[in-house]
Amino acid sequence: MKRLFYFILLIAGISSVHSCKDMVNEEGDPLIDLNQSSGFNGPRALFREITDSDTIAEYRYNGLLLSRVITDKYSAANVMWSGDKISQIDFKGHLDNDGDGILDDDSIVYTQLFTYGNLGRLTIISENRSTYKRTPAVPPTTPAGPYTLDSKIKALYDLTYSATTGKLDVINMKNGPDAVGVPFEYKDYSKSWYTYLGDNVSKVERHYGKINAGVNGTPIEKFGYEFLNYDSQINPYTLLPFAYKVSTLLATDYEDNRSFILSPNSPKRVSITDLMQVIPTAVIFSTDYRYDLQTYMIKGFGVNYIYKPM
């Protein structure tokens, strides 16, 4: 239920966004003024997601390829390519693993390696993740201690696709602690199912549980997400690579409420349901969107999207 409460805060708390003036990127290229009415012509890239108080993400490129994503001044993901496919993502920084809407003090470092099948589709993501903790400060005299390694895990994500539509169908995850001197064994699992309306993700259901002797046990958590009332305009995330979008959904255990980033259009209603409740009740959030003249969405759910020419 804490994650439901956080999602309420996320949607409601950023609904009022300040106006933005003309901006330039780190290379001095002009960005699209969110207040302009003339729109933007020519190829573009997603550059920033901002609210009235913070920058959610900044996307940087090497030519036409996404190369680095900064999500916090101490957090960034470096994206590596092999030809036209993402081969590796290295992240270092802070994440909201417990879903309370605040970045954890723990420092997270992970490397994800991407494997593609014979049709060129992403099929496996293998991940090594380390968590670093430090002793908290005791004001006014004792500062926080240095970060030291607390735990390591290995995770494997297996992606399957619909034989009829070719769309992402299921993601199976399993992970386990990676401790020196202890034989590695997968201990936890999750499974996500994707449902579509046309090309857009309409539902995601994800179950979590324990692995016993290599067998998935009865789920101990279940969440359902629905994405409703899609528009017919262009979702900003269509400008990002599919593999990177999947990676962000897997960064923490509870990012599925953002699964609409896999869709070409944008939903005006999003619901989240704790399916383990005796009487599951969906919490629903709504928004109106703003678009530029090329029908790219520039504002929704309290987030402004800034583009730059490519």
Side-chain angles (χ1 to χ4, degrees):
M1 293 302 292
K2 180 169 66 174
R3 281 180 290 277
L4 286 173
F5 177 68
Y6 162 54
F7 197 60
I8 294 172
L9 293 178
L10 175 65
I11 298 300
I14 60 178
S15 59
S16 177
V17 179
H18 73 306
S19 62
C20 298
K21 298 179 180 179
D22 289 332
M23 305 173 70
V24 296
N25 65 13
E26 74 281 1
E27 298 167 341
D29 297 324
L31 303 176
I32 300 172
D33 183 356
L34 297 179
N35 294 318
Q36 72 180 14
S37 59
S38 59
F40 174 73
N41 291 309
R44 68 174 67 196
L46 180 60
F47 179 64
R48 279 183 182 152
E49 301 172 53
I50 64 172
T51 69
D52 58 342
S53 61
D54 204 0
T55 297
I56 299 174
E58 180 175 308
Y59 302 92
R60 297 186 178 180
Y61 300 83
N62 181 9
L64 299 177
L65 300 180
L66 180 68
S67 61
R68 184 173 173 86
V69 182
I70 300 170
T71 52
D72 178 80
K73 62 182 179 180
Y74 302 116
S75 305
N78 292 314
V79 183
M80 281 147 277
W81 295 75
S82 178
D84 62 350
K85 293 181 172 58
I86 291 176
S87 58
Q88 181 173 324
I89 292 179
D90 294 332
F91 175 87
K92 183 177 181 179
H94 300 274
L95 295 169
D96 179 20
N97 285 303
D98 58 6
D100 65 355
I102 301 172
L103 290 176
D104 300 341
D105 290 333
D106 298 347
S107 180
I108 304 295
V109 176
Y110 65 73
T111 294
Q112 294 174 334
L113 301 178
F114 297 79
T115 301
Y116 298 83
N118 55 10
L119 296 178
R121 294 187 300 208
L122 177 63
T123 54
I124 295 174
I125 302 174
S126 59
E127 177 181 296
N128 288 284
R129 180 177 297 222
S130 299
T131 300
Y132 296 84
K133 295 180 180 289
R134 61 179 177 175
T135 56
V138 181
T141 58
T142 306
Y147 281 104
T148 58
L149 179 64
D150 180 70
S151 63
K152 297 174 68 177
I153 66 168
K154 291 183 179 180
L156 189 69
Y157 301 90
D158 185 5
L159 289 70
T160 59
Y161 299 81
S162 168
T164 55
T165 67
K167 294 182 174 62
L168 179 63
D169 189 24
V170 176
I171 297 180
N172 282 294
M173 183 281 292
K174 55 185 178 180
N175 68 33
D178 183 16
V180 176
V182 179
F184 178 77
E185 185 179 2
Y186 291 112
K187 295 290 188 179
D188 300 281
Y189 78 87
S190 74
K191 186 172 184 178
S192 303
W193 294 266
Y194 294 82
T195 303
Y196 297 82
L197 181 62
D199 290 331
N200 294 310
V201 175
S202 59
K203 294 181 182 179
V204 178
E205 185 170 327
R206 188 168 183 179
H207 296 182
Y208 309 78
K210 297 292 184 180
I211 300 175
N212 301 299
V215 179
N216 292 354
T218 301
I220 58 177
E221 289 186 289
K222 297 180 183 179
F223 287 91
Y225 308 86
E226 290 195 61
F227 307 96
L228 310 164
N229 296 358
Y230 272 93
D231 63 13
S232 58
Q233 313 304 317
I234 303 174
N235 184 330
Y237 298 103
T238 58
L239 298 171
L240 298 177
F242 173 79
Y244 173 77
K245 291 186 284 189
V246 172
S247 173
T248 63
L249 296 178
L250 303 177
T252 72
D253 286 337
Y254 304 100
E255 291 287 337
D256 301 278
N257 56 59
R258 300 186 66 241
S259 295
F260 61 85
I261 68 175
L262 301 176
S263 301
N265 308 118
S266 303
K268 297 180 181 179
R269 301 183 73 192
V270 176
S271 75
I272 178 173
T273 306
D274 183 347
L275 301 175
M276 296 295 286
Q277 298 297 310
V278 176
I279 303 177
T281 303
V283 180
I284 300 175
F285 314 93
S286 300
T287 194
D288 288 321
Y289 291 115
R290 287 176 51 199
Y291 310 92
D292 65 18
L293 293 184
Q294 280 64 53
T295 72
Y296 281 87
M297 191 258 284
I298 58 175
K299 180 180 177 182
F301 285 114
V303 178
N304 280 328
Y305 296 86
I306 302 174
Y307 304 91
K308 72 170 187 175
M310 287 295 278

